[in-house]
Amino acid sequence: MSLQLFAHPFSSYCQKVLIALYENDIPFRMRLLSPDDPATFEEFQRRWPMQRFPLLLDGERAVMESSVIIEYLQQHHAGPVKLIPEAADAALEVRMLDRFFDWYVMTPMQKPVLDSLRPEGHRDGYGVDEAKRQQERGYAWLDEKLAGRTWAAGESFSLADCAAAPSLFYADWVHPIDGAFGNLRAYRQRLLDRPSVARAVDEARPYRSLFPLGAPDRD
């Protein structure tokens, strides 16, 4: 099997790529990054010294960063679901929303999580509050953007939805989406009902005890 994915099922960015793989039923070998397999982690470090996962290996070609990996899959292992549209303007919309979910939903969500791992006396309460305010701004913008849309960029499932699924999944755990944002809450549920997303969520379920803030008893 030429494709190998160095990843962990509980990682949001790994889930983003797993959803893309599952959407097109692309065969690959999962290289689980775990303390129980130091040899795999050593190979991962050798191939990508920045140590940010996921990492896709296609033969001897290494592909880094989740959005780039998904574009690479479409170019070199295309399936029936086109996650990046061929039309230039539609593709720009998808890529913009992909960046939005990564930078303005996922990134602020991670601030409280990482802050909880800091020792007492070294925590950044102001930064955590600012991150939550940014999440609220992101929720409000998305709620308006999603009006009348089935998926993030329209009626077709895309790269943007691969990014949205883990972003909104974990963001709602950290800073729940207010009931006033009905479009966004309904979209999150549609994502969870999508077979590729449901599979990624189920595969990560055994690792929920790893969530530093404590995983809620839902989803």
Side-chain angles (χ1 to χ4, degrees):
M1 190 175 294
S2 67
L3 290 180
Q4 301 178 59
L5 186 70
F6 291 80
H8 192 283
F10 200 62
S11 159
S12 54
Y13 288 109
C14 294
Q15 286 184 21
K16 177 177 169 180
V17 172
L18 287 167
I19 291 164
L21 288 163
Y22 297 155
E23 279 291 320
N24 280 304
D25 198 24
I26 300 171
F28 69 101
R29 177 188 173 196
M30 181 71 156
R31 302 292 303 277
L32 182 64
L33 294 169
S34 164
D36 298 329
D37 188 354
T40 295
F41 196 79
E42 287 171 10
E43 182 181 355
F44 168 66
Q45 288 180 302
R46 176 173 58 81
R47 292 185 180 276
W48 185 219
M50 298 307 296
Q51 300 178 38
R52 291 291 184 267
F53 45 78
L55 168 70
L56 182 74
L57 201 61
D58 189 358
E60 285 299 310
R61 182 174 186 178
V63 187
M64 302 80 167
E65 297 298 320
S66 58
S67 299
V68 177
I69 290 172
I70 293 172
E71 293 225 24
Y72 178 86
L73 290 171
Q74 180 154 310
Q75 290 179 19
H76 297 277
H77 299 273
V81 181
K82 289 188 178 296
L83 297 173
I84 298 103
E86 292 181 1
D89 284 348
L92 285 175
E93 174 79 354
V94 164
R95 290 187 177 99
M96 181 276 290
L97 286 164
D98 168 65
R99 295 293 79 221
F100 187 93
F101 284 111
D102 279 3
W103 285 109
Y104 303 117
V105 180
M106 186 76 74
T107 297
M109 178 278 295
Q110 290 176 326
K111 176 65 177 179
V113 175
L114 296 175
D115 195 70
S116 72
L117 300 174
R118 289 181 170 186
E120 290 288 348
H122 294 276
R123 293 183 178 171
D124 179 15
Y126 179 85
V128 168
D129 289 342
E130 177 57 28
K132 290 180 178 179
R133 286 192 291 270
Q134 188 177 74
Q135 278 187 279
E136 281 293 314
R137 291 193 296 271
Y139 290 167
W141 186 85
L142 283 168
D143 192 69
E144 183 176 343
K145 187 76 169 175
L146 288 165
R149 295 185 176 188
T150 300
W151 301 111
E155 294 307 302
S156 298
F157 193 89
S158 71
L159 164 67
D161 302 293
C162 295
S167 297
L168 292 172
F169 180 79
Y170 288 118
D172 189 54
W173 281 12
V174 173
H175 187 62
I177 300 169
D178 192 276
F181 300 131
N183 294 328
L184 183 57
R185 287 172 63 89
Y187 171 62
R188 183 180 184 272
Q189 187 58 54
R190 285 196 297 277
L191 288 169
L192 290 172
D193 291 339
R194 183 89 174 184
S196 61
V197 177
R199 180 177 174 183
V201 169
D202 284 342
E203 289 174 345
R205 203 173 295 277
Y207 303 99
R208 290 191 175 192
S209 62
L210 298 176
F211 197 65
L213 299 178
D217 187 20
R218 57 184 172 88
D219 296 326

